[in-house]
């Protein structure tokens, strides 16, 4: 089963994923991430740091996804493992639909068609949602170019639109709750779904 965790920067998603590894240790999950599960992640980091061309950056994120699928996700799913990924294809649909604006007519449509022939669609996606101001406050320390409030606002709107379009896949998580409450809720939901598949 493939579970993904999504949300804007500062939504507490990475803390949640780290907590899940412990809370679900008995299920022995493969905990992974995008970008950066393979060597391609280094190229992505460099592209983010240079911030030169959104199309180049996007294609590196897609390359990172392809390598992640080949080297981590598909092999683990073939073994029947529970895979939990901190970010996945919805990050591209949400973020690059914003960063590619103005470079081509329909960035989201293009992104979806690029992924469609080779990606694996998640079984379950948790979307961590919070007011953008709260996320920006949490991010004060360290800023990447995705992390401006206007960008995050547009990205979160995209995510919420996807969740509305695919209610059977998405579960909304109130990221303003205490981190223990968020972890308990998500861990219980994953157990419930894993249980109903067995
Ligand atoms: P990440 O390392 O997950 O940062 P964080 O742990 O702070 O969420 O991702 C780095 C940045 O890259 C983050 O701002 C989100 C962005 N990103 C995209 O724009 N598109 C993508 O497809 C992915 C996976 C990440």
């Amino acid at each position: 089963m493939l579970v993904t965790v999504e949300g804007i920067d500062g939504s507490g998603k990475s803390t949640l994923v780290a907590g899940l590894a412990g809370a679900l240790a008995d299920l022995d999950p493969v905990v992974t991430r995008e970008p950066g599960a393979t060597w391609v992640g280094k190229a992505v980091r460099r592209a983010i740091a240079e911030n030169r061309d959104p199309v180049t950056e996007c294609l590196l994120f897609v390359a990172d996804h392809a390598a992640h699928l080949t080297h981590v996700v598909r092999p683990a799913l073939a073994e029947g493992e529970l895979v939990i990924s901190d970010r996945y294809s919805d990050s591209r649909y949400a973020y690059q639909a914003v960063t590619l604006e103005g470079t081509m007519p329909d960035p989201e449509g293009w992104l979806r068609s690029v992924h469609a022939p080779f990606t694996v669609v998640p079984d379950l996606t948790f979307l961590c949602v919070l007011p953008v101001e709260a996320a920006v406050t949490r991010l004060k320390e360290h800023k990447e170019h995705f992390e401006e409030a206007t960008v995050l606002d547009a990205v979160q709107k995209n995510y919420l639109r996807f969740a509305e379009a695919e209610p059977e896949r998405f579960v909304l998580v109130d990221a303003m709750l205490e981190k223990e409450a968020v972890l308990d809720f998500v861990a219980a939901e994953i157990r419930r779904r894993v249980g109903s598949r067995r």
Side-chain angles (χ1 to χ4, degrees), residues 5-15 33-36 44-45 48 57-58 60-62 64-65 86-97 99 111 115 139 142-147 151-152 155 159:
V5 182
E6 297 280 358
I8 57 173
D9 304 79
S11 64
K13 168 188 70 50
S14 302
T15 307
R33 58 168 297 128
E34 288 187 13
V44 175
R45 292 277 162 217
I48 295 175
E57 180 181 89
C58 174
L60 286 168
F61 275 121
V62 177
D64 180 76
H65 181 60
D86 179 354
R87 296 196 182 284
Y88 193 76
S89 42
D90 293 300
S91 281
R92 241 101 50 229
Y93 308 151
Y95 280 81
Q96 271 61 53
T99 62
L111 286 160
H115 283 71
L139 287 170
H142 158 81
K143 275 204 166 190
E144 280 166 344
H145 66 278
F146 304 104
E147 296 173 356
V151 173
L152 294 184
V155 171
Y159 272 133

Side-chain angles (χ1 to χ4, degrees), residues 77-125:
L77 292 177
E79 294 292 319
E81 312 249 33
L82 168 64
V83 178
I84 301 175
S85 186
D86 179 354
R87 296 196 182 284
Y88 193 76
S89 42
D90 293 300
S91 281
R92 241 101 50 229
Y93 308 151
Y95 280 81
Q96 271 61 53
V98 176
T99 62
L100 291 178
E101 241 168 68
T103 66
M104 58 180 77
D106 172 21
E108 189 189 325
W110 178 73
L111 286 160
R112 288 188 185 275
S113 68
V114 168
H115 283 71
F118 76 97
T119 195
V120 176
V121 177
D123 298 294
L124 182 60
T125 299

Side-chain angles (χ1 to χ4, degrees), residues 109-175:
W110 178 73
L111 286 160
R112 288 188 185 275
S113 68
V114 168
H115 283 71
F118 76 97
T119 195
V120 176
V121 177
D123 298 294
L124 182 60
T125 299
F126 292 96
L127 175 58
C128 300
V129 182
L130 80 175
V132 170
E133 312 80 74
V136 171
T137 306
R138 289 183 187 177
L139 287 170
K140 264 191 303 235
E141 302 277 285
H142 158 81
K143 275 204 166 190
E144 280 166 344
H145 66 278
F146 304 104
E147 296 173 356
E148 292 157 25
T150 47
V151 173
L152 294 184
D153 186 52
V155 171
Q156 182 156 270
K157 286 193 173 114
N158 284 339
Y159 272 133
L160 290 168
R161 186 164 49 77
F162 306 158
E164 213 172 303
E166 286 184 76
E168 59 303 319
R169 173 159 75 89
F170 279 89
V171 175
L172 297 192
V173 176
D174 179 354

Side-chain angles (χ1 to χ4, degrees), residues 1-3 27 76-83 120-125 168-169 188-198:
M1 182 162 103
L2 175 59
V3 176
L27 301 176
L77 292 177
E79 294 292 319
E81 312 249 33
L82 168 64
V83 178
V120 176
V121 177
D123 298 294
L124 182 60
T125 299
E168 59 303 319
R169 173 159 75 89
E189 192 61 22
I190 293 175
R191 282 187 193 283
R192 198 173 69 75
R193 305 276 184 132
V194 168
S196 70
R197 289 188 143 219
R198 287 198 170 139

